[in-house]
């Protein structure tokens, strides 16, 4: 299952139905409690639930707290109370009606989004959820100029409402080369131009390091140049989208030092698909790599 399928099918909310043996496997076959990790980064650590789709949310919440993680993200309204019960938040919220492929670059989607976002934003504000995700959508023949104009027009009233409620709308940068063919917001500069066009600081970019390494590289220089437009970060190893260890090409320790140096106080989320048997062990190691002063 890929990320789009996990989000759109709603499987993330079916945690309680998973088999105990599957949970044990996800936990690395051990019930021993890990030592609580004390973090030192100026930003907060988060993790994307869809990457651990077979692990019930309750069990995952119990485990990640010991790693210094304070958020499990890309889950919907029904899961926010579960996270709060465990002392966690959802750094970036999602909803089933938010489509990756049918986004704001198509004016035919504007009425739907402008009618459905108000309730979602109100619930996010009430629950203390800081960010809600959005997507440009696929090009389907639209030029960069047309797509940007449409996105700006569709997002403007939603962002204004988000501003009143203290919520930030975050558009994700994704690669259109490997994972999301035809996706429009696939280069940082296009995203930055959209941010400037809308002109509201409650609209930010989600700078996905994995995706942008595939599309354009130059990660640290891009962070140094455009960080004021970035409201959130995602990680994963390149190539393959797996662990961010020595078997992939990015120096995540160095990248995190660059992010920390910008004064970023938001969330950096692990969004890799673990291939090791001890999946949560991989997650703990990723947080250790990214936890820079």
């Amino acid at each position: 299952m890929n990320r789009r399928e996990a989000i759109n099918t709603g499987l993330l909310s079916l945690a309680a139905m998973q088999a105990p043996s599957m949970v044990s496997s996800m936990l690395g076959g051990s019930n021993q409690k890990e030592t609580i990790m004390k973090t030192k980064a100026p930003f907060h650590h988060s993790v994307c639930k869809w990457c651990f789709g077979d692990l019930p949310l309750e069990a995952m919440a119990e485990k990640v707290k010991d790693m210094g993680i304070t958020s499990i993200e890309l889950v919907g309204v029904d899961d926010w109370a579960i996270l709060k019960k465990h002392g966690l938040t959802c750094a970036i919220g999602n909803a089933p009606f938010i489509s990756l492929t049918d986004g704001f670059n198509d004016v035919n989607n504007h009425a739907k989004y402008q009618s459905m976002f108000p309730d979602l934003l109100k619930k996010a504000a009430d629950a203390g959820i800081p960010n809600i995700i959005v997507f440009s959508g696929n090009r389907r023949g639209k030029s960069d100029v047309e797509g940007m104009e449409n996105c700006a027009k569709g997002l403007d009233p939603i962002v204004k409402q988000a501003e009143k409620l203290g919520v930030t709308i975050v558009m994700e940068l994704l690669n259109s080369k490997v994972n999301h063919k035809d996706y429009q917001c696939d280069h940082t500069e296009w995203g930055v131009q959209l941010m400037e066009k809308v002109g509201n600081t409650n609209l930010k970019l989600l700078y996905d390091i994995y995706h942008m390494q595939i599309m354009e590289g130059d990660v640290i220089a891009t962070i140094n140049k455009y960080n004021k437009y970035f409201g959130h970060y995602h990680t994963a190893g390149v190539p393959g989208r797996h662990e961010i260890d020595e078997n992939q090409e990015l120096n995540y320790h160095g990248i995190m030092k660059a992010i920390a140096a910008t004064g970023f106080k938001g969330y950096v989320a692990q969004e890799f698909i673990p291939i090791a048997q001890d999946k949560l062990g991989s997650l703990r190691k990723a947080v250790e790599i990214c936890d820079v002063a």
Side-chain angles (χ1 to χ4, degrees):
M1 178 175 291
N2 62 29
R3 172 183 176 182
R4 186 186 309 167
E5 292 168 341
I7 291 174
N8 289 342
T9 58
L11 289 180
L12 302 182
S13 64
L14 300 180
M17 299 176 63
Q18 306 301 325
S21 60
M22 186 175 292
V23 175
S24 178
S25 174
M26 291 291 292
L27 299 179
S30 172
N31 291 321
Q32 184 176 0
K33 187 176 180 64
E34 295 276 8
T35 302
I36 296 176
M37 178 176 168
K38 294 182 179 179
T39 60
K40 56 182 180 290
F43 48 77
H44 304 284
H45 296 284
S46 183
V47 60
C48 296
K49 176 65 182 75
W50 77 269
C51 300
F52 299 81
D54 292 331
L55 181 60
L57 184 61
E58 293 258 13
M60 187 173 178
E62 284 290 343
K63 285 290 182 178
V64 302
K65 287 192 300 184
D66 296 340
M67 303 178 194
I69 290 173
T70 58
S71 157
I72 299 177
E73 65 182 61
L74 293 181
V75 298
V77 174
D78 291 343
D79 290 323
W80 296 345
I82 296 174
L83 296 178
K84 184 177 181 180
K85 182 178 72 173
H86 291 277
L88 301 173
T89 189
C90 173
I92 187 163
N94 194 24
F97 70 84
I98 301 173
S99 172
L100 190 156
T101 55
D102 298 314
F104 283 89
N105 66 347
D106 188 339
V107 295
N108 294 315
N109 298 325
H110 290 180
K112 177 188 79 169
Y113 284 135
Q114 291 172 4
S115 67
M116 300 186 79
F117 262 93
D119 181 62
L120 176 63
L121 290 173
K122 179 63 166 57
K123 289 177 178 176
D126 290 345
I129 306 303
N131 304 300
I132 294 293
I133 199 166
V134 296
F135 301 97
S136 68
N138 286 2
R139 288 180 174 84
R140 298 192 175 104
K142 300 178 197 68
S143 69
D144 282 349
V145 172
E146 180 185 4
M148 188 179 300
E149 291 284 347
N150 291 348
C151 281
K153 181 179 179 181
L155 282 166
D156 183 67
I158 293 170
V159 174
K160 286 177 178 175
Q161 182 191 17
E163 181 182 17
K164 292 178 181 178
L165 294 169
V167 178
T168 299
I169 302 295
V170 184
M171 178 172 283
E172 185 163 14
L173 292 155
L174 301 171
N175 85 75
S176 59
K177 181 179 178 181
V178 176
N179 301 104
H180 302 288
K181 301 290 186 180
D182 203 44
Y183 185 73
Q184 189 141 42
C185 187
D186 62 351
H187 280 84
T188 304
E189 289 191 357
W190 188 92
V192 167
Q193 289 175 29
L194 174 61
M195 301 299 105
E196 292 178 338
K197 191 171 189 64
V198 175
N200 189 314
T201 56
N202 281 74
L203 176 65
K204 297 282 189 179
L205 290 171
L206 192 171
Y207 185 76
D208 191 302
I209 298 163
Y210 161 80
H211 286 295
M212 290 301 96
Q213 170 68 2
I214 290 172
M215 290 303 297
E216 57 193 27
D218 222 12
V219 170
I220 290 178
T222 301
I223 290 169
N224 289 339
K225 184 176 182 179
Y226 292 122
N227 64 83
K228 73 176 183 179
Y229 300 98
F230 300 160
H232 200 76
Y233 292 89
H234 278 173
T235 78
V238 181
R241 199 178 192 141
H242 301 305
E243 279 84 348
I244 61 171
D245 56 20
E246 67 279 1
N247 297 312
Q248 52 86 50
E249 67 193 30
L250 287 164
N251 174 14
Y252 268 101
H253 186 78
I255 292 169
M256 293 301 135
K257 287 184 75 68
I259 292 173
T262 69
F264 181 68
K265 305 295 185 187
Y267 290 84
V268 172
Q270 304 297 331
E271 200 187 20
F272 65 89
I273 302 171
I275 55 175
Q277 182 177 358
D278 183 0
K279 299 181 186 303
L280 290 182
S282 287
L283 179 58
R284 174 177 280 266
K285 290 177 183 177
V287 174
E288 291 172 349
I289 290 169
C290 293
D291 192 48
V292 300

